[in-house]
Amino acid sequence: MSNKQKIIDIFQQALTYLAASVGAITLFMIIFFVFSNGYKLLDFGLLVNDYHAKFYNGGIEDEISYSNTIRPNNLDDEVFYSQKWGIGLKDDNDREGNPIIIVDFIADDSPLKNIYDKNNEEYEPLLLETGHLLSKISFYDKQTALTKYGAEYMIEALNSSDTFREIVYSSLGGGIRGSIITTFYLIGMTMAIALPIGIFTAIYLNEFAPKNKITSLLRSLIETLTGVPSIIFGLMGLAVFVPLTIQMTEATSANIISGSLTLAVILLPVIIRSTEESLKIVPDSFRSASLALGANHTQTTFKVVLPSAFPGIMTGTLLAVGRVIGESAALIFAIGTAVKDDISIFGKSTTLSVHIWSLMKDEPANIELASTIAVIILMIVLLLNIIVKFISKKLIKDLY
Amino acid sequence: MKNILKIMNLNLYYDEFQALKDINIDIENNKVTALIGPSGCGKSTFLKCLNRMNDLIEICSIFGEIEYKEENIYKPNYDVINLRTKVGMVFQKPNPFPMSIFDNVAYGPRCQGIKEKKRLEEIVISSLKSAALYEEVKDRMKKSALSLSGGQQQRLCIARAIAMEPEVILMDEPTSSLDPIATLRIEELINELKKKYTIIIVTHSMQQAARISDNTAFFLMGELIEFNKTDKIFTTPLQQKTEDYITGRFG
Ligand SMILES: Nc1ncnc2c1ncn2[C@@H]1O[C@H](COP(=O)(O)OP(=O)(O)O)[C@@H](O)[C@H]1O
Ligand SMILES: [Mg+2]
């Protein structure tokens, strides 16, 4: 090898290494950023809690039997405890960073277990539990205990009182259960629409359609659609599917159905193309073998070609599911941006990605919670990947 | 009926290119007919005419008549599906489906609507026995067919064809991708199978043709040069071109 060639060689190698490391480092930094911002808020409560805190206004009976429970040993030092009322309170911050007073312990014989709902004519009992946030206790004879005065004052005020006028507390909130449910609804419904249509279209194009101008025109049309920005499909969803679903169902606004339809349209070209690719790599020798055995075209397609293409189709489906999880632009129009806790397929709600968008558009943006959701999205995608890898590996092992 | 297949004035074109020129040949019942000739002379093309697999090639046009059991298989509305169940085919490269061994053999009968489990089992077992494969695979019928060796795969393909209870089996260089031992097993199998089936086999090996066939047809550039008893072809060929070919002077 000549010297000049050697230098070119080294240069080219250095270039590939450089490019590869830039790529790897960028990816690593994104993941690091997301995790370092998001891991603090990551807990089980986040996944199962409502986003919007629910508030309760409680009153107490005239006859009160006070608690006898002494302070349990296992309570943290930061917990302020009132033996009279059988309750331990602690200062904390919520996921948005605002100060809160959290119920850390409540004794079985606590009089606060016998409060009733003041907003309800029937005076139904309320259930104060550990994990609830105390936002206010107002008294007849002294200053109201508010969150901003801290847990210590609240306990002192309780200890020095025999009764109170009203107790206001709430659930924690800030959870993303609603957005998780919406995301899974959306995945299910979108796939239920797009997969059968997409796969059958691909089968038609690859196995049955005559090889003429119209077919190739159709194919290039589909290819073009893959490149259209999703926000344009979102506009179409708003203009077509939202009014359509409002007319046909009980929906009154953008809803999960219109979102699914919009996403299905976005995914159709993707699914058609990936299915066609998987069908194309099925060797023709399988088709000839089947036909030579007296099988007809349909039997050959569905008994031999389609099963052989199955691992590839699975992979394409995974990519499509990933798109559903990741899509936000189109969905802002097609299902709305309202973060909801009670999910109905006929109503507005947000997926996890749109939830991130909602959090970031506020002033100030809630980067921490957004990053936490990003971590959850990453984990869902990773899990999906592992599942599909596992299934298709098993399928390929069984098949080949 | 002594001749199960009669090929009359067969001409075949791929677009403009004439791949078969005026072929006339009669295939005897329960005999092994070997097709020999240099590569590209049209042996595979000819074979594929016999079960109409050429239908799949759009640019292919066929003229002349092929009678199977005294019926022209190229006449309009002829039942091609039925023809292919009666004239089975084994390909050059073993091409089992990516399914279990059992499902491979059961595939053809299932496509004909046989669903009964017992019936299918009988067919599969007897076909595998006929293809001299049963003993080797009886403990792993549910395993993927692609886990078999090349020679086993080819015998599986023969079993798959036999499962249709055909009368004719077409084989296109069935041993060309196999090692000598696997080749020998297939040749023994062919000797066994000719008791029940008419076999037409394309081979690039003249020794193979001499070993296993009763009749031999020699093709050259789309023409049938000579067709005769195998021993005649290899001992006293009538045509100079045949002699040149079998003595290895060209091709
Ligand atoms: N599908 C096809 N399209 C066009 N030409 C073909 C096709 N198949 C075969 N041919 C041509 O026909 C001739 C005979 O081919 P083939 O029957 O495969 O020969 P053989 O099997 O004797 O080697 C060759 O010249 C080949 O190029
Ligand atoms: Mg050939």
Side-chain angles (χ1 to χ4, degrees):
Chain A
M1 215 191 292
S2 75
N3 249 351
K4 200 179 156 198
Q5 216 163 7
K6 250 183 204 159
I7 292 169
I8 293 175
D9 232 46
I10 291 170
F11 185 70
Q12 282 176 338
Q13 260 183 22
L15 215 62
T16 33
Y17 285 140
L18 194 73
S21 38
V22 166
I25 289 170
T26 316
L27 259 176
F28 180 77
M29 274 177 14
I30 292 170
I31 292 176
F32 180 77
F33 173 82
V34 166
F35 266 88
S36 61
N37 274 304
Y39 83 98
K40 274 171 262 159
L41 300 180
L42 196 61
D43 58 41
F44 190 66
L46 177 75
L47 303 181
V48 296
N49 280 357
D50 285 349
Y51 183 71
H52 302 284
K54 240 198 204 113
F55 280 87
Y56 305 92
N57 298 63
I60 193 152
E61 318 276 339
D62 294 338
E63 299 271 311
I64 304 175
S65 67
Y66 299 105
S67 162
N68 289 316
T69 311
I70 53 164
R71 181 189 171 104
N73 292 330
N74 57 351
L75 287 192
D76 269 2
D77 288 345
E78 314 142 35
V79 177
F80 300 97
Y81 186 72
S82 158
Q83 180 168 343
K84 184 178 179 183
W85 295 90
I87 192 162
L89 302 178
K90 195 169 82 173
D91 292 306
D92 206 343
N93 290 308
D94 69 4
R95 293 195 176 90
E96 269 98 27
N98 306 314
I100 51 173
I101 296 174
I102 194 159
V103 178
D104 195 72
F105 172 80
I106 182 160
D108 287 334
D109 59 355
S110 165
L112 293 172
K113 288 220 150 176
N114 293 313
I115 51 176
Y116 59 85
D117 191 353
K118 284 186 104 176
N119 296 335
N120 184 306
E121 315 231 313
E122 319 261 304
Y123 295 106
E124 277 183 28
L126 282 178
L127 196 63
L128 180 65
E129 288 176 321
T130 52
H132 277 143
L133 314 183
L134 283 186
S135 42
K136 177 171 141 186
I137 303 177
S138 56
F139 300 95
Y140 294 104
D141 55 353
K142 62 170 73 71
Q143 198 188 3
T144 303
L146 294 171
T147 300
K148 60 179 173 191
Y149 303 143
E152 187 173 12
Y153 175 74
M154 201 174 262
I155 290 291
E156 270 170 24
L158 275 172
N159 274 337
S160 59
S161 307
D162 291 331
T163 184
F164 55 82
R165 193 181 349 195
E166 188 188 43
I167 180 167
V168 180
Y169 68 95
S170 68
S171 57
L172 177 59
I176 55 165
R177 185 178 50 93
S179 301
I180 293 179
I181 293 174
T182 304
T183 305
F184 282 105
Y185 270 149
L186 206 68
I187 292 173
M189 291 176 60
T190 306
M191 286 316 186
I193 302 165
L195 267 189
I197 301 178
I199 290 177
F200 276 95
T201 309
I203 290 173
Y204 171 76
L205 284 178
N206 203 57
E207 305 290 321
F208 291 94
K211 290 180 178 45
N212 57 22
K213 279 228 173 77
I214 300 173
T215 311
S216 59
L217 191 76
L218 200 64
R219 199 170 271 135
S220 43
L221 208 73
I222 290 167
E223 226 143 276
T224 315
L225 282 181
T226 354
V228 174
S230 57
I231 195 144
I232 293 175
F233 287 105
L235 284 175
M236 188 200 74
L238 187 66
V240 179
F241 292 133
V242 173
L244 195 74
T245 46
I246 289 175
Q247 220 165 52
M248 312 238 313
T249 69
E250 58 192 68
T252 56
S253 63
N255 56 75
I256 295 184
I257 304 175
S258 59
S260 304
L261 288 167
T262 310
L263 272 185
V265 173
I266 296 176
L267 291 188
L268 260 180
V270 179
I271 294 174
I272 293 172
R273 277 198 58 183
S274 67
T275 307
E276 261 211 285
E277 294 308 318
S278 340
L279 291 173
K280 276 206 189 92
I281 57 169
V282 174
D284 266 338
S285 69
F286 290 172
R287 295 184 180 84
S288 321
S290 171
L291 292 170
L293 285 165
N296 61 33
H297 198 78
T298 316
Q299 286 168 330
T300 302
T301 302
F302 287 97
K303 288 183 170 205
V304 175
V305 179
L306 200 55
S308 309
F310 198 73
I313 295 175
M314 281 283 287
T315 313
T317 307
L318 167 82
L319 286 177
V321 172
R323 281 279 308 259
V324 177
I325 298 172
E327 182 57 57
S328 54
L331 290 179
I332 291 170
F333 298 129
I335 77 172
T337 59
V339 181
K340 284 280 171 62
D341 290 313
D342 299 314
I343 305 301
S344 149
I345 56 168
F346 303 113
K348 284 186 169 178
S349 54
T350 58
T351 66
L352 289 168
S353 304
V354 183
H355 198 147
I356 291 182
W357 181 85
S358 306
L359 291 170
M360 296 302 288
K361 81 176 194 311
D362 287 343
E363 218 34 83
N366 189 345
I367 294 181
E368 284 210 339
L369 187 53
S371 300
T372 310
I373 297 177
V375 170
I376 292 168
I377 291 176
L378 282 176
M379 291 200 292
I380 294 176
V381 172
L382 188 74
L383 196 74
L384 270 171
N385 258 300
I386 292 170
I387 292 172
V388 168
K389 280 260 161 60
F390 182 77
I391 294 176
S392 53
K393 223 190 195 147
K394 189 162 161 29
L395 276 175
I396 289 175
K397 220 176 104 197
D398 286 353
L399 284 174
Y400 295 99
Chain B
M1 189 176 58
K2 184 168 164 279
N3 300 323
I4 191 162
L5 280 160
K6 281 187 207 155
I7 293 90
M8 288 168 283
N9 307 322
L10 182 68
N11 287 282
L12 184 145
Y13 298 83
Y14 291 117
D15 264 338
E16 303 286 293
F17 172 72
Q18 185 164 14
L20 292 175
K21 295 170 191 159
D22 215 27
I23 309 289
N24 287 281
I25 201 169
D26 288 350
I27 308 288
E28 270 182 280
N29 254 346
N30 288 52
K31 289 274 159 64
V32 177
T33 304
L35 311 179
I36 61 170
S39 142
C41 68
K43 306 179 297 287
S44 299
T45 302
F46 173 75
L47 202 68
K48 281 191 277 178
C49 290
L50 303 180
N51 64 346
R52 285 189 57 173
M53 285 298 278
N54 281 331
D55 290 14
L56 307 177
I57 301 165
E58 265 166 61
I59 56 166
C60 176
S61 44
I62 296 162
F63 305 92
E65 280 186 21
I66 297 180
E67 282 190 357
Y68 169 67
K69 293 195 161 175
E70 290 166 352
E71 202 179 351
N72 182 11
I73 64 171
Y74 278 98
K75 77 177 186 194
N77 298 330
Y78 185 82
D79 186 352
V80 182
I81 299 279
N82 184 53
L83 173 75
R84 290 184 187 149
T85 64
K86 291 292 149 210
V87 182
M89 189 165 212
V90 176
F91 295 80
Q92 187 165 351
K93 246 185 90 202
N95 58 353
F97 300 126
M99 316 168 177
S100 72
I101 294 169
F102 184 96
D103 288 341
N104 259 280
V105 185
Y107 180 81
R110 274 185 180 140
C111 283
Q112 295 307 308
I114 298 175
K115 289 205 179 68
E116 231 185 300
K117 243 195 120 189
K118 267 208 75 166
R119 184 77 205 286
L120 283 171
E121 243 165 59
E122 280 167 24
I123 294 174
V124 170
I125 290 174
S126 78
S127 308
L128 285 171
K129 279 182 177 158
S130 304
L133 187 61
Y134 183 66
E135 289 305 317
E136 291 159 61
V137 301
K138 65 180 175 197
D139 300 323
R140 45 173 177 157
M141 302 279 258
K142 291 270 169 283
K143 286 269 153 62
S144 167
L146 300 163
S147 64
L148 299 174
S149 73
Q152 288 173 324
Q153 287 190 10
Q154 196 59 300
R155 275 179 282 144
L156 182 70
C157 291
I158 293 173
R160 190 171 65 181
I162 291 173
M164 301 304 297
E165 295 171 7
E167 313 222 352
V168 182
I169 303 177
L170 311 173
M171 299 185 178
D172 191 350
E173 304 193 29
T175 61
S176 66
S177 64
L178 304 182
D179 61 64
I181 294 171
T183 300
L184 197 69
R185 296 213 59 175
I186 302 268
E187 286 182 9
E188 285 166 5
L189 177 61
I190 290 170
N191 257 327
E192 204 49 46
L193 291 175
K194 76 173 181 189
K195 292 176 193 152
K196 270 182 81 181
Y197 308 98
T198 305
I199 293 171
I200 306 170
I201 180 169
V202 173
T203 174
H204 59 274
S205 148
M206 276 168 289
Q207 293 87 336
Q208 186 171 61
R211 277 196 299 268
I212 60 174
S213 69
D214 305 295
N215 299 318
T216 296
F218 171 55
F219 282 78
L220 189 62
M221 293 173 75
E223 279 178 89
L224 176 64
I225 304 298
E226 191 168 348
F227 178 48
N228 213 333
K229 296 254 173 284
T230 297
D231 49 10
K232 291 258 170 56
I233 291 270
F234 283 101
T235 52
T236 50
L238 300 174
Q239 302 289 326
Q240 185 57 44
K241 285 175 182 162
T242 314
E243 189 170 347
D244 289 349
Y245 182 67
I246 60 172
T247 51
R249 240 168 279 166
F250 76 84

